[in-house]
């Protein structure tokens, strides 16, 4: 997850340069809202003004080990994980949308093209193509190549299909829809200007109305985690992960995350971590985590934490160190979700 956060931000940087592919032709109104925006994957994790001084937007900082009555570390982990993936996803989508805010360079039949265009200081050239596949259904792709290369050298670094939502009158509802897209860092690495990210991230999202459940599911494949050795067991490793987020306006939410990495530093073997967080609209929630495989072996290490509506920890338990007051406190009966709901989200 550490490396994937950095990687998404770098894709945002790539797309910032790609904004240069703006066109000059007449905009076809039928292509309005043909690509998703950040509103389509809007993340909603409860936030309260009470007892949250340790939580800061964009750079969450709390004590590594919470205690009963402190801000729950698993709340912070949940909020951070959701914000990193959903907000960064939205930033990518908004930048693609930023290109289509300009008139396309050309429109032929069901296809509109923006570019090719090159930022003044970039060695890469980009082109965005949007094709209407059916009423309100659009396939889109962002291609890149070297600035001086022939057009046959274009490779696709972002691609997806978006279905825009419609209102009761059958008119497009801006900011709402569903679809999927893929970020391909392996393809981006073939461009003259690129970073060290590798692998792919595949997204499936939906937000079809203001009252509909928001979902955002992500599959991370062969992603590079360039983490600090002081905070992880290995400095740089390839890993796979799964992320699943769902939140209903005015109700609760659910987040699941699973990854296979070298979480335990005893050997180089990979462990599989699965995290499941649930929360209510008032902010109270619970996280259940399990770790198995690798240095943990056939055992299943678990940890659980619950927090109240002010995000203060009311219960914590860890199977790997039962009775340790630094990780165990409170009564499970204090939890709004009274029992664990462990998942095996294995990539």
């Amino acid at each position: 997850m550490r490396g994937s956060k950095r990687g998404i931000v770098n894709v945002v940087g790539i797309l910032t340069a790609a904004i240069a592919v703006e066109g000059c032709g007449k905009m076809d109104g039928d292509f309005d809202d043909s690509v998703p925006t950040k509103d389509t994957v809007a993340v909603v994790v409860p936030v309260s003004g009470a007892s949250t001084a340790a939580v800061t937007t964009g750079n969450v900082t709390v004590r590594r080990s919470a205690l009963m009555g402190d801000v729950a570390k698993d709340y912070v982990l949940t909020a951070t994980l959701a914000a990193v993936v959903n907000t960064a996803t939205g930033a990518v989508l908004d930048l693609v949308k930023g290109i289509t805010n300009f008139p396309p360079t050309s429109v032929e039949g069901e296809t509109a093209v923006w570019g090719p265009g090159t930022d003044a200081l970039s060695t890469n050239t980009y082109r965005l193509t949007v094709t209407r596949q059916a009423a309100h259904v659009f396939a889109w792709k962002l291609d890149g190549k070297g600035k001086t290369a022939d057009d046959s050298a274009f490779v696709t670094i972002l691609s997806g299909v978006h279905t825009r939502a419609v209102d009761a009158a059958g008119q497009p509802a801006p900011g709402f829809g569903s679809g999927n897209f893929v970020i391909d860092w392996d393809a981006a690495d073939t461009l003259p200007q690129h970073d060290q990210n590798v692998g792919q991230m595949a997204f499936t999202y939906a937000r079809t109305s203001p009252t509909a459940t928001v979902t955002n599911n992500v599959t991370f494949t062969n992603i590079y985690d360039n983490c600090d050795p002081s905070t992880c067991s290995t400095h740089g490793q390839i890993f796979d992960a799964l992320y699943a987020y769902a939140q209903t306006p005015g109700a609760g939410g659910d987040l699941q995350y699973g990854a296979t990495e070298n979480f335990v530093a005893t050997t180089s073997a990979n462990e599989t971590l699965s995290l499941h967080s649930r929360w209510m609209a008032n902010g109270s929630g619970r996280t259940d985590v399990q770790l198995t495989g690798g240095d943990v072996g056939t055992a299943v290490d678990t940890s659980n934490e619950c927090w109240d509506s002010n995000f203060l920890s009311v219960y914590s338990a860890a199977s790997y160190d039962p009775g340790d007051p630094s990780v165990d406190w409170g009564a499970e009966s204090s939890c709004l979700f009274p029992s664990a709901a462990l998942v095996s989200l294995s990539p």
Side-chain angles (χ1 to χ4, degrees), residues 15-24 96 99-100 102-105 113-119 125-129 142-143 154:
L15 282 174
T16 302
I19 292 296
V21 304
E22 61 198 66
C24 57
V96 175
I99 298 173
T100 64
F102 292 94
T105 304
V113 177
W114 286 258
T118 308
D119 183 76
T125 292
Y126 296 95
R127 177 183 66 194
L128 179 71
T129 303
L142 182 70
D143 300 328
F154 271 116

Side-chain angles (χ1 to χ4, degrees), residues 2 222-223 225 233-234 236-241 259-273 291-299 346-347:
R2 296 166 294 262
N222 293 327
I223 299 297
D225 187 347
S233 59
T234 303
Q237 57 181 306
I238 300 295
F239 77 104
D240 296 335
T260 299
E261 285 192 71
N262 184 212
F263 291 103
V264 181
T266 307
T267 73
S268 60
N270 287 339
E271 293 76 38
T272 296
L273 176 144
L291 188 71
T292 189
D295 293 330
V296 178
T298 58
S346 178

Side-chain angles (χ1 to χ4, degrees), residues 14 27 62 65 69 115 122 126 156 178 196 198 227 270 339 342:
I14 290 173
M27 179 62 176
V62 296
S65 178
S122 176
Y126 296 95
T156 300
S178 60
Q196 64 179 350
V198 297
C227 58
N270 287 339
S339 59
L342 293 166

Side-chain angles (χ1 to χ4, degrees), residues 133-210:
Q133 295 184 325
H136 308 297
V137 181
F138 300 85
W140 58 274
K141 63 175 183 173
L142 182 70
D143 300 328
K145 70 177 184 69
K147 180 178 181 179
T148 60
D150 185 80
D151 283 358
S152 62
F154 271 116
V155 295
T156 300
I157 60 177
L158 269 171
S159 61
V161 176
H162 177 67
T163 299
R164 61 188 179 190
V166 296
D167 59 23
Q171 297 301 309
F176 299 101
S178 60
N180 59 78
F181 69 95
V182 175
I183 300 173
D184 190 340
W185 278 303
D186 291 338
D189 284 347
T190 66
L191 302 178
Q193 189 174 347
H194 62 86
D195 54 35
Q196 64 179 350
N197 287 292
V198 297
Q200 293 83 33
M201 291 174 66
F203 299 73
T204 302
Y205 60 87
R207 185 178 183 232
T208 55
S209 75

